Coordinates of all heavy atoms in Angstrom, one line a residue:
M206 N 234.2 287.0 -36.2 CA 233.6 286.7 -34.9 C 233.4 288.1 -34.2 O 234.3 288.9 -34.1 CB 234.6 285.8 -34.1 CG 234.1 285.5 -32.7 SD 235.2 284.6 -31.7 CE 235.3 283.1 -32.6
T207 N 232.2 288.3 -33.7 CA 232.0 289.5 -33.0 C 232.4 289.3 -31.5 O 232.5 288.2 -31.0 CB 230.5 289.9 -33.0 OG1 229.7 288.8 -32.4 CG2 230.0 290.0 -34.4
D208 N 232.5 290.5 -30.8 CA 232.9 290.4 -29.4 C 232.0 289.6 -28.6 O 232.4 288.9 -27.6 CB 233.0 291.8 -28.8 CG 234.2 292.6 -29.4 OD1 235.1 291.9 -30.0 OD2 234.3 293.8 -29.1
E209 N 230.6 289.6 -28.9 CA 229.7 288.9 -28.1 C 229.9 287.4 -28.2 O 229.5 286.6 -27.3 CB 228.2 289.2 -28.6 CG 227.8 290.6 -28.5 CD 228.2 291.5 -29.6 OE1 228.4 291.0 -30.8 OE2 228.5 292.7 -29.4
N210 N 230.6 286.9 -29.3 CA 230.8 285.5 -29.5 C 232.1 285.0 -28.9 O 232.4 283.8 -28.8 CB 230.8 285.1 -31.0 CG 229.4 285.3 -31.5 OD1 228.4 285.2 -30.9 ND2 229.3 285.6 -32.8
K211 N 232.9 285.9 -28.4 CA 234.2 285.5 -27.8 C 233.8 284.9 -26.4 O 233.0 285.4 -25.7 CB 235.1 286.7 -27.6 CG 235.6 287.2 -29.0 CD 236.7 288.2 -28.8 CE 237.1 288.8 -30.1 NZ 237.6 287.9 -31.1
E212 N 234.5 283.9 -26.0 CA 234.2 283.2 -24.8 C 234.9 283.7 -23.6 O 235.8 283.1 -23.0 CB 234.5 281.7 -25.1 CG 233.6 281.2 -26.2 CD 233.9 279.7 -26.5 OE1 234.6 279.0 -25.7 OE2 233.4 279.3 -27.5
Y213 N 234.6 285.0 -23.3 CA 235.2 285.6 -22.1 C 234.3 285.2 -20.9 O 233.2 284.9 -21.0 CB 235.3 287.1 -22.2 CG 236.3 287.5 -23.3 CD1 235.8 288.1 -24.5 CD2 237.6 287.5 -23.1 CE1 236.7 288.5 -25.5 CE2 238.5 287.9 -24.0 CZ 238.1 288.4 -25.2 OH 238.9 288.8 -26.2
P214 N 234.9 285.4 -19.7 CA 234.1 285.2 -18.4 C 233.0 286.3 -18.4 O 233.1 287.3 -19.1 CB 235.1 285.4 -17.3 CG 236.4 285.4 -17.9 CD 236.3 285.7 -19.3
S215 N 232.0 286.1 -17.6 CA 231.0 287.1 -17.4 C 231.6 288.4 -16.9 O 232.7 288.4 -16.4 CB 229.9 286.6 -16.4 OG 230.5 286.6 -15.1
L216 N 230.9 289.5 -17.1 CA 231.4 290.8 -16.7 C 231.6 290.8 -15.2 O 232.5 291.4 -14.7 CB 230.4 291.9 -17.1 CG 230.4 292.2 -18.6 CD1 229.4 293.3 -18.9 CD2 231.8 292.6 -19.1
G217 N 230.7 290.1 -14.4 CA 230.9 290.0 -13.0 C 232.2 289.3 -12.6 O 232.9 289.8 -11.7
K218 N 232.5 288.2 -13.3 CA 233.7 287.5 -13.0 C 234.9 288.4 -13.4 O 235.9 288.4 -12.7 CB 233.7 286.2 -13.8 CG 235.0 285.4 -13.6 CD 235.1 284.9 -12.2 CE 236.3 283.9 -12.1 NZ 236.8 283.7 -10.8
Q219 N 234.8 289.1 -14.5 CA 235.9 289.9 -14.9 C 236.2 291.0 -13.9 O 237.3 291.4 -13.6 CB 235.6 290.5 -16.3 CG 235.7 289.5 -17.4 CD 235.5 290.2 -18.8 OE1 236.2 291.1 -19.2 NE2 234.5 289.6 -19.5
A220 N 235.1 291.6 -13.4 CA 235.2 292.6 -12.4 C 235.8 292.1 -11.1 O 236.7 292.7 -10.5 CB 233.8 293.2 -12.0
K221 N 235.5 290.9 -10.7 CA 236.1 290.2 -9.5 C 237.6 290.0 -9.8 O 238.4 290.2 -8.9 CB 235.4 288.9 -9.3 CG 235.9 288.2 -8.1 CD 235.1 286.9 -7.8 CE 235.6 286.2 -6.6 NZ 234.9 284.9 -6.4
N222 N 237.9 289.5 -11.0 CA 239.3 289.3 -11.3 C 240.1 290.7 -11.2 O 241.2 290.7 -10.7 CB 239.5 288.7 -12.7 CG 239.0 287.3 -12.8 OD1 238.8 286.6 -11.8 ND2 238.7 286.9 -14.0
L223 N 239.5 291.7 -11.8 CA 240.2 293.0 -11.7 C 240.3 293.5 -10.3 O 241.4 294.1 -9.9 CB 239.4 294.0 -12.6 CG 240.0 295.5 -12.6 CD1 241.4 295.5 -13.1 CD2 239.1 296.4 -13.4
A224 N 239.3 293.4 -9.5 CA 239.4 293.8 -8.1 C 240.5 293.1 -7.3 O 241.2 293.7 -6.6 CB 238.0 293.6 -7.4
K225 N 240.6 291.7 -7.5 CA 241.6 291.0 -6.9 C 243.0 291.4 -7.3 O 243.9 291.6 -6.5 CB 241.5 289.5 -7.1 CG 242.5 288.6 -6.4 CD 242.5 287.2 -6.8 CE 243.5 286.4 -6.1 NZ 244.8 287.0 -6.0
F226 N 243.2 291.6 -8.6 CA 244.4 292.1 -9.1 C 244.8 293.5 -8.5 O 245.9 293.7 -8.1 CB 244.4 292.2 -10.7 CG 245.5 292.9 -11.3 CD1 246.8 292.3 -11.3 CD2 245.4 294.1 -11.9 CE1 247.9 292.9 -11.9 CE2 246.4 294.7 -12.5 CZ 247.7 294.1 -12.5
T227 N 243.8 294.4 -8.5 CA 244.1 295.7 -7.9 C 244.5 295.6 -6.4 O 245.4 296.3 -6.0 CB 242.8 296.6 -8.1 OG1 242.5 296.6 -9.5 CG2 243.0 298.0 -7.5
V228 N 243.8 294.8 -5.7 CA 244.1 294.6 -4.3 C 245.6 294.1 -4.1 O 246.3 294.5 -3.3 CB 243.1 293.7 -3.6 CG1 243.6 293.2 -2.2 CG2 241.8 294.4 -3.4
D229 N 245.9 293.1 -5.0 CA 247.3 292.5 -4.9 C 248.3 293.6 -5.2 O 249.4 293.6 -4.5 CB 247.4 291.4 -5.9 CG 246.6 290.1 -5.5 OD1 246.2 290.0 -4.3 OD2 246.5 289.2 -6.4
V230 N 248.1 294.4 -6.2 CA 249.1 295.5 -6.5 C 249.2 296.5 -5.4 O 250.3 296.8 -5.0 CB 248.7 296.2 -7.9 CG1 249.5 297.5 -8.1 CG2 248.8 295.2 -9.0
V231 N 248.1 296.9 -4.8 CA 248.1 297.9 -3.8 C 248.7 297.3 -2.5 O 249.6 297.9 -1.9 CB 246.7 298.4 -3.4 CG1 246.7 299.3 -2.2 CG2 246.2 299.2 -4.6
K232 N 248.4 296.1 -2.2 CA 248.9 295.4 -1.0 C 250.5 295.3 -1.1 O 251.2 295.5 -0.2 CB 248.3 294.0 -0.9 CG 248.7 293.3 0.4 CD 248.2 291.9 0.7 CE 247.0 291.5 -0.1 NZ 246.7 290.1 0.2
D233 N 250.9 294.9 -2.3 CA 252.4 294.8 -2.5 C 253.1 296.1 -2.3 O 254.1 296.2 -1.7 CB 252.7 294.3 -3.9 CG 254.2 294.2 -4.2 OD1 254.8 293.4 -3.5 OD2 254.7 294.9 -5.1
Q234 N 252.4 297.2 -2.8 CA 253.0 298.5 -2.6 C 253.0 299.1 -1.2 O 253.9 299.7 -0.7 CB 252.4 299.5 -3.6 CG 252.7 299.3 -5.0 CD 254.1 299.3 -5.3 OE1 254.8 300.4 -5.2 NE2 254.7 298.2 -5.7
V235 N 251.9 298.7 -0.5 CA 251.8 299.2 0.9 C 252.5 298.3 1.9 O 253.2 298.8 2.8 CB 250.3 299.3 1.3 CG1 250.1 299.6 2.8 CG2 249.6 300.3 0.4
I236 N 252.4 297.0 1.7 CA 253.0 296.1 2.7 C 254.3 295.5 2.3 O 255.1 295.1 3.1 CB 252.0 294.9 2.9 CG1 250.7 295.4 3.5 CG2 252.6 293.9 3.9 CD1 249.6 294.4 3.6
G237 N 254.6 295.5 1.0 CA 255.9 295.0 0.5 C 257.1 295.6 1.1 O 257.1 296.6 1.8
S238 N 258.2 294.9 0.9 CA 259.5 295.4 1.5 C 259.8 296.7 1.0 O 259.6 297.0 -0.2 CB 260.6 294.4 1.3 OG 261.2 294.6 0.1
E239 N 260.5 297.5 1.8 CA 260.9 298.9 1.4 C 261.9 298.9 0.3 O 262.0 299.8 -0.5 CB 261.4 299.6 2.6 CG 260.4 300.0 3.6 CD 259.3 301.0 3.0 OE1 259.7 301.9 2.3 OE2 258.1 300.8 3.4
T240 N 262.7 297.8 0.2 CA 263.7 297.7 -0.9 C 263.1 297.2 -2.2 O 263.8 297.2 -3.2 CB 264.8 296.8 -0.4 OG1 264.3 295.5 -0.2 CG2 265.5 297.3 0.8
N241 N 261.9 296.7 -2.2 CA 261.3 296.1 -3.4 C 260.0 296.8 -3.7 O 259.0 296.1 -3.8 CB 261.2 294.6 -3.3 CG 260.9 294.0 -4.6 OD1 261.1 294.5 -5.6 ND2 260.5 292.7 -4.5
K242 N 259.9 298.1 -3.9 CA 258.7 298.8 -4.2 C 258.5 299.0 -5.7 O 257.8 299.9 -6.1 CB 258.7 300.1 -3.5 CG 258.6 300.0 -2.0 CD 257.2 299.7 -1.6 CE 257.0 299.8 -0.1 NZ 255.7 299.5 0.4
T243 N 259.0 298.1 -6.5 CA 258.9 298.3 -7.9 C 257.5 297.9 -8.3 O 257.0 296.8 -8.0 CB 259.9 297.3 -8.7 OG1 261.2 297.6 -8.2 CG2 259.8 297.5 -10.2
L244 N 256.8 298.7 -9.0 CA 255.4 298.5 -9.5 C 255.3 297.7 -10.7 O 254.5 296.8 -10.9 CB 254.7 299.9 -9.7 CG 253.3 299.9 -10.1 CD1 252.4 299.2 -9.0 CD2 252.8 301.3 -10.3
Y245 N 256.3 297.9 -11.6 CA 256.2 297.2 -12.9 C 257.2 296.1 -13.1 O 258.3 296.1 -12.5 CB 256.5 298.2 -14.0 CG 255.4 299.4 -14.0 CD1 255.8 300.6 -13.7 CD2 254.1 299.1 -14.4 CE1 254.8 301.6 -13.7 CE2 253.2 300.1 -14.4 CZ 253.5 301.4 -14.0 OH 252.6 302.3 -14.0
A246 N 256.9 295.1 -13.9 CA 257.8 294.1 -14.3 C 258.9 294.6 -15.2 O 258.6 295.6 -15.9 CB 257.1 292.9 -15.0
T247 N 260.0 294.0 -15.2 CA 261.1 294.5 -16.2 C 260.6 294.2 -17.6 O 259.6 293.4 -17.8 CB 262.4 293.7 -15.9 OG1 262.1 292.3 -16.2 CG2 262.9 293.8 -14.5
D248 N 261.2 294.9 -18.5 CA 260.8 294.6 -19.9 C 261.0 293.2 -20.3 O 260.2 292.6 -21.1 CB 261.7 295.6 -20.9 CG 261.3 297.0 -20.8 OD1 260.1 297.3 -20.3 OD2 262.0 297.9 -21.2
V249 N 262.1 292.5 -19.8 CA 262.3 291.1 -20.1 C 261.2 290.3 -19.6 O 260.7 289.4 -20.4 CB 263.7 290.7 -19.5 CG1 263.9 289.2 -19.7 CG2 264.9 291.4 -20.2
V250 N 260.8 290.5 -18.4 CA 259.7 289.7 -17.8 C 258.4 290.0 -18.6 O 257.6 289.1 -18.9 CB 259.5 290.0 -16.3 CG1 258.2 289.4 -15.8 CG2 260.7 289.5 -15.6
Y251 N 258.1 291.2 -18.8 CA 256.9 291.6 -19.6 C 256.8 290.9 -20.9 O 255.8 290.3 -21.3 CB 256.9 293.1 -19.8 CG 255.8 293.7 -20.7 CD1 254.5 293.7 -20.2 CD2 256.1 294.2 -21.9 CE1 253.5 294.2 -21.1 CE2 255.2 294.7 -22.7 CZ 253.9 294.7 -22.3 OH 252.9 295.2 -23.1
N252 N 257.9 291.0 -21.7 CA 258.0 290.3 -23.0 C 257.9 288.8 -22.9 O 257.2 288.2 -23.8 CB 259.2 290.7 -23.8 CG 259.1 292.2 -24.2 OD1 258.1 292.7 -24.6 ND2 260.2 292.9 -24.1
Q253 N 258.5 288.2 -21.9 CA 258.3 286.8 -21.7 C 256.9 286.4 -21.4 O 256.4 285.4 -21.9 CB 259.2 286.3 -20.6 CG 260.7 286.3 -20.9 CD 261.5 286.0 -19.7 OE1 261.1 286.1 -18.5 NE2 262.8 285.5 -19.9
R254 N 256.2 287.2 -20.6 CA 254.8 286.9 -20.3 C 254.0 287.0 -21.5 O 253.1 286.1 -21.8 CB 254.3 287.9 -19.2 CG 254.9 287.7 -17.9 CD 254.5 288.8 -16.9 NE 254.9 288.5 -15.6 CZ 254.7 289.3 -14.5 NH1 253.9 290.4 -14.7 NH2 255.1 289.0 -13.3
L255 N 254.1 288.0 -22.3 CA 253.3 288.2 -23.5 C 253.6 287.1 -24.5 O 252.7 286.5 -25.2 CB 253.6 289.5 -24.2 CG 253.0 290.8 -23.5 CD1 253.3 292.0 -24.2 CD2 251.6 290.6 -23.2
D256 N 254.9 286.7 -24.6 CA 255.2 285.5 -25.5 C 254.5 284.3 -25.1 O 254.0 283.5 -25.9 CB 256.7 285.3 -25.6 CG 257.5 286.4 -26.3 OD1 256.8 287.2 -27.1 OD2 258.7 286.5 -26.2
T257 N 254.5 284.0 -23.7 CA 253.8 282.9 -23.2 C 252.3 282.9 -23.5 O 251.7 282.0 -23.9 CB 254.0 282.8 -21.7 OG1 255.4 282.6 -21.4 CG2 253.3 281.6 -21.1
C258 N 251.7 284.1 -23.3 CA 250.3 284.3 -23.6 C 250.0 284.0 -25.1 O 248.9 283.4 -25.4 CB 249.8 285.7 -23.2 SG 249.8 286.0 -21.5
K259 N 250.8 284.5 -26.0 CA 250.6 284.3 -27.4 C 250.6 282.8 -27.8 O 250.0 282.5 -28.9 CB 251.6 285.1 -28.2 CG 251.4 286.6 -28.1 CD 252.5 287.4 -28.7 CE 252.3 288.9 -28.5 NZ 253.4 289.7 -29.0
E260 N 251.1 282.0 -27.0 CA 251.2 280.5 -27.3 C 250.0 279.8 -26.6 O 249.8 278.6 -26.8 CB 252.5 279.9 -26.8 CG 253.7 280.5 -27.5 CD 253.7 280.2 -29.0 OE1 253.3 279.1 -29.5 OE2 254.1 281.1 -29.8
C261 N 249.2 280.5 -25.8 CA 248.2 279.9 -25.0 C 246.9 279.7 -25.8 O 246.5 280.6 -26.6 CB 247.9 280.7 -23.8 SG 246.7 280.1 -22.6
E262 N 246.1 278.7 -25.5 CA 244.8 278.4 -26.1 C 243.8 279.5 -25.7 O 242.8 279.6 -26.4 CB 244.3 277.0 -25.7 CG 243.9 276.9 -24.3 CD 245.1 276.4 -23.4 OE1 246.3 276.6 -23.8 OE2 244.8 275.9 -22.3
Y263 N 244.0 280.3 -24.7 CA 243.0 281.3 -24.2 C 243.4 282.7 -24.8 O 242.7 283.6 -24.6 CB 243.0 281.4 -22.7 CG 242.4 280.2 -22.1 CD1 243.2 279.3 -21.4 CD2 241.0 279.9 -22.2 CE1 242.7 278.2 -20.8 CE2 240.5 278.8 -21.6 CZ 241.3 277.9 -20.9 OH 240.8 276.8 -20.3
Y264 N 244.4 282.8 -25.6 CA 244.9 284.1 -26.1 C 244.0 284.5 -27.3 O 243.7 283.8 -28.2 CB 246.3 284.0 -26.6 CG 246.8 285.3 -27.2 CD1 247.0 286.4 -26.3 CD2 247.2 285.4 -28.5 CE1 247.5 287.6 -26.8 CE2 247.7 286.6 -29.0 CZ 247.8 287.7 -28.2 OH 248.3 288.8 -28.7
D265 N 243.5 285.8 -27.2 CA 242.7 286.4 -28.3 C 243.6 287.3 -29.0 O 243.9 288.4 -28.5 CB 241.5 287.1 -27.7 CG 240.6 287.8 -28.7 OD1 241.0 287.8 -29.9 OD2 239.6 288.3 -28.4
V266 N 244.1 286.9 -30.1 CA 245.1 287.7 -30.9 C 244.5 289.1 -31.3 O 245.2 290.1 -31.4 CB 245.6 286.9 -32.1 CG1 244.6 286.7 -33.1 CG2 246.8 287.6 -32.7
E267 N 243.2 289.1 -31.6 CA 242.5 290.3 -32.1 C 242.5 291.4 -31.1 O 242.6 292.6 -31.4 CB 241.1 290.0 -32.6 CG 241.1 289.1 -33.8 CD 239.6 288.7 -34.2 OE1 238.7 289.2 -33.6 OE2 239.5 287.9 -35.1
Q268 N 242.4 291.1 -29.8 CA 242.3 292.1 -28.8 C 243.4 292.0 -27.8 O 243.5 292.8 -26.8 CB 241.0 291.9 -28.0 CG 239.8 292.2 -28.8 CD 238.5 292.2 -28.0 OE1 238.5 292.5 -26.8 NE2 237.4 292.0 -28.6
N269 N 244.4 291.1 -28.0 CA 245.5 290.9 -27.0 C 244.9 290.8 -25.6 O 245.3 291.5 -24.7 CB 246.5 292.1 -27.1 CG 247.8 291.8 -26.4 OD1 248.2 290.6 -26.2 ND2 248.4 292.8 -25.9
R270 N 244.0 289.8 -25.5 CA 243.3 289.6 -24.3 C 243.2 288.1 -23.9 O 243.3 287.3 -24.8 CB 241.8 290.0 -24.5 CG 241.4 291.1 -23.6 CD 240.0 291.5 -24.0 NE 239.1 291.3 -22.8 CZ 237.8 291.5 -22.9 NH1 237.2 291.8 -24.0 NH2 237.1 291.3 -21.8
C271 N 243.1 287.8 -22.7 CA 242.9 286.5 -22.2 C 241.5 286.1 -22.1 O 240.7 286.8 -21.4 CB 243.6 286.3 -20.8 SG 243.4 284.7 -20.1
K272 N 241.1 285.0 -22.7 CA 239.7 284.6 -22.7 C 239.4 283.8 -21.4 O 238.2 283.6 -21.1 CB 239.4 283.6 -23.9 CG 239.4 284.3 -25.2 CD 238.9 283.4 -26.3 CE 239.5 283.7 -27.6 NZ 239.2 282.7 -28.6
H273 N 240.4 283.4 -20.6 CA 240.2 282.8 -19.4 C 239.8 283.8 -18.3 O 238.8 283.5 -17.5 CB 241.4 282.0 -18.9 CG 241.1 281.1 -17.8 ND1 241.3 281.5 -16.5 CD2 240.7 279.8 -17.7 CE1 241.0 280.5 -15.6 NE2 240.6 279.5 -16.4
C274 N 240.5 284.9 -18.2 CA 240.2 285.8 -17.1 C 239.6 287.1 -17.6 O 239.0 287.9 -16.9 CB 241.5 286.2 -16.3 SG 242.8 287.0 -17.2
G275 N 239.7 287.4 -18.9 CA 239.2 288.6 -19.5 C 240.1 289.8 -19.5 O 239.7 290.8 -20.0
C276 N 241.3 289.6 -19.0 CA 242.2 290.8 -18.8 C 242.8 291.2 -20.1 O 243.0 290.4 -21.1 CB 243.3 290.4 -17.9 SG 242.7 290.3 -16.2
W277 N 243.1 292.5 -20.2 CA 243.9 293.1 -21.3 C 245.3 292.8 -21.0 O 245.9 293.4 -20.0 CB 243.6 294.5 -21.4 CG 242.1 294.8 -21.7 CD1 241.2 295.0 -20.7 CD2 241.5 294.8 -22.9 NE1 240.0 295.2 -21.3 CE2 240.1 295.0 -22.7 CE3 241.9 294.6 -24.2 CZ2 239.2 295.1 -23.7 CZ3 240.9 294.7 -25.3 CH2 239.6 295.0 -25.0
L278 N 246.0 292.0 -21.8 CA 247.3 291.5 -21.4 C 248.4 292.5 -21.4 O 249.4 292.5 -20.7 CB 247.7 290.3 -22.3 CG 246.7 289.1 -22.1 CD1 246.9 288.1 -23.2 CD2 246.9 288.6 -20.7
K279 N 248.3 293.5 -22.3 CA 249.4 294.5 -22.3 C 249.5 295.3 -21.0 O 250.5 295.9 -20.7 CB 249.3 295.5 -23.5 CG 248.2 296.5 -23.4 CD 248.3 297.4 -24.7 CE 247.4 298.6 -24.6 NZ 247.5 299.5 -25.7
Y280 N 248.4 295.3 -20.3 CA 248.4 296.0 -19.0 C 248.7 295.0 -17.8 O 249.6 295.3 -17.0 CB 247.0 296.6 -18.7 CG 246.6 297.6 -19.7 CD1 245.5 297.4 -20.6 CD2 247.4 298.8 -19.9 CE1 245.2 298.3 -21.6 CE2 247.0 299.7 -20.9 CZ 245.9 299.4 -21.8 OH 245.6 300.3 -22.7
K281 N 248.0 293.9 -17.8 CA 248.2 292.9 -16.7 C 249.7 292.4 -16.7 O 250.3 292.3 -15.6 CB 247.3 291.7 -16.9 CG 247.4 290.7 -15.7 CD 246.3 289.7 -15.8 CE 246.3 288.8 -14.6 NZ 245.2 287.9 -14.7
A282 N 250.2 292.1 -17.8 CA 251.6 291.6 -17.9 C 252.6 292.6 -17.4 O 253.7 292.2 -17.0 CB 251.9 291.0 -19.3
R283 N 252.3 293.9 -17.5 CA 253.3 294.9 -17.2 C 253.5 295.1 -15.7 O 254.6 295.4 -15.3 CB 252.7 296.3 -17.8 CG 253.6 297.5 -17.5 CD 255.0 297.3 -17.9 NE 255.3 297.4 -19.3 CZ 256.5 297.1 -19.8 NH1 257.5 296.8 -19.1 NH2 256.6 297.2 -21.1
F284 N 252.5 294.8 -14.9 CA 252.6 294.9 -13.5 C 253.3 293.8 -12.8 O 253.0 292.6 -13.2 CB 251.2 295.1 -12.8 CG 250.6 296.4 -13.0 CD1 249.8 296.7 -14.1 CD2 250.8 297.5 -12.1 CE1 249.2 297.9 -14.3 CE2 250.3 298.7 -12.3 CZ 249.5 299.0 -13.4
K285 N 254.2 294.0 -11.9 CA 255.0 293.0 -11.3 C 254.1 292.0 -10.6 O 254.4 290.8 -10.6 CB 255.9 293.7 -10.2 CG 256.8 292.7 -9.4 CD 257.6 293.4 -8.4 CE 256.7 293.8 -7.3 NZ 257.3 294.3 -6.1
E286 N 253.0 292.4 -10.0 CA 252.1 291.5 -9.3 C 251.1 290.8 -10.2 O 250.3 290.1 -9.7 CB 251.3 292.3 -8.2 CG 252.1 292.6 -7.0 CD 252.7 291.3 -6.3 OE1 251.9 290.4 -6.1 OE2 253.9 291.3 -6.1
G287 N 251.2 291.0 -11.5 CA 250.3 290.3 -12.4 C 250.7 288.9 -12.5 O 251.8 288.5 -12.4
H288 N 249.6 288.0 -12.6 CA 249.8 286.6 -12.6 C 248.9 286.0 -13.6 O 247.7 286.4 -13.7 CB 249.6 285.9 -11.2 CG 250.6 286.4 -10.2 ND1 251.9 286.0 -10.1 CD2 250.4 287.3 -9.2 CE1 252.5 286.6 -9.1 NE2 251.6 287.4 -8.5
C289 N 249.3 284.9 -14.3 CA 248.4 284.2 -15.2 C 247.4 283.4 -14.3 O 247.9 282.7 -13.4 CB 249.3 283.2 -16.0 SG 248.3 282.1 -17.0
P290 N 246.2 283.4 -14.7 CA 245.2 282.7 -13.9 C 245.3 281.2 -14.0 O 244.7 280.5 -13.1 CB 243.8 283.2 -14.5 CG 244.2 283.5 -15.9 CD 245.6 284.1 -15.8
I291 N 246.0 280.7 -14.9 CA 246.2 279.2 -15.0 C 247.7 278.8 -14.8 O 248.1 277.7 -15.1 CB 245.7 278.6 -16.4 CG1 246.4 279.3 -17.6 CG2 244.2 278.8 -16.4 CD1 246.0 278.7 -18.9
G292 N 248.4 279.7 -14.2 CA 249.8 279.4 -13.7 C 250.9 279.3 -14.8 O 251.9 278.8 -14.5
K293 N 250.7 279.9 -15.9 CA 251.7 279.9 -16.9 C 252.8 280.9 -16.7 O 253.9 280.8 -17.2 CB 251.1 280.0 -18.3 CG 250.3 278.8 -18.7 CD 249.9 278.9 -20.2 CE 249.1 277.6 -20.5 NZ 248.9 277.5 -22.0
W294 N 252.5 282.0 -15.9 CA 253.6 282.9 -15.5 C 253.2 283.6 -14.2 O 252.1 283.5 -13.8 CB 253.9 284.0 -16.6 CG 252.8 284.7 -17.2 CD1 252.2 284.4 -18.4 CD2 252.1 285.9 -16.8 NE1 251.2 285.3 -18.7 CE2 251.1 286.2 -17.7 CE3 252.3 286.7 -15.7 CZ2 250.3 287.3 -17.6 CZ3 251.5 287.9 -15.6 CH2 250.5 288.2 -16.5

């Protein structure tokens, strides 16, 4: 299967998803509590997120990517403010 045949959201939708994610991360760092300025999820949380993704129908094993939002999971799952678009984590 070529990349063109993978059922990812449009590039515009992917850009919108990335912009929202970026705003959430920055907002958490600027407005979040002074005692909780951690940017990254713990290794335990990160690995749990990836394990959940690997069981999901939207997981693209070849690219380690979500076909629902288009995100690269090794990056999105690492950030504390990362969230699954369908509420799995």
Side-chain angles (χ1 to χ4, degrees):
M206 178 185 295
T207 64
D208 287 350
E209 296 85 29
N210 294 331
K211 294 193 185 294
E212 297 175 15
Y213 292 107
S215 69
L216 289 178
K218 179 66 174 166
Q219 289 182 57
K221 183 178 177 182
N222 292 340
L223 178 60
K225 181 186 179 319
F226 171 69
T227 302
V228 167
D229 289 346
V230 169
V231 171
K232 188 183 338 178
D233 179 66
Q234 291 300 297
V235 172
I236 299 173
S238 88
E239 289 298 320
T240 59
N241 193 16
K242 291 284 188 181
T243 305
L244 183 60
Y245 299 110
T247 65
D248 288 343
V249 170
V250 169
Y251 172 73
N252 289 320
Q253 287 173 339
R254 289 174 174 182
L255 289 182
D256 288 344
T257 299
C258 291
K259 290 174 184 175
E260 298 297 320
C261 181
E262 66 271 21
Y263 294 108
Y264 180 67
D265 179 353
V266 67
E267 293 173 8
Q268 294 190 26
N269 192 28
R270 239 175 120 187
C271 176
K272 292 185 209 175
H273 189 273
C274 65
C276 290
W277 300 91
L278 297 170
K279 74 177 189 176
Y280 302 113
K281 184 174 188 175
R283 177 55 71 189
F284 284 90
K285 180 183 72 173
E286 283 301 309
H288 297 285
C289 170
I291 58 174
K293 292 191 175 187
W294 51 266

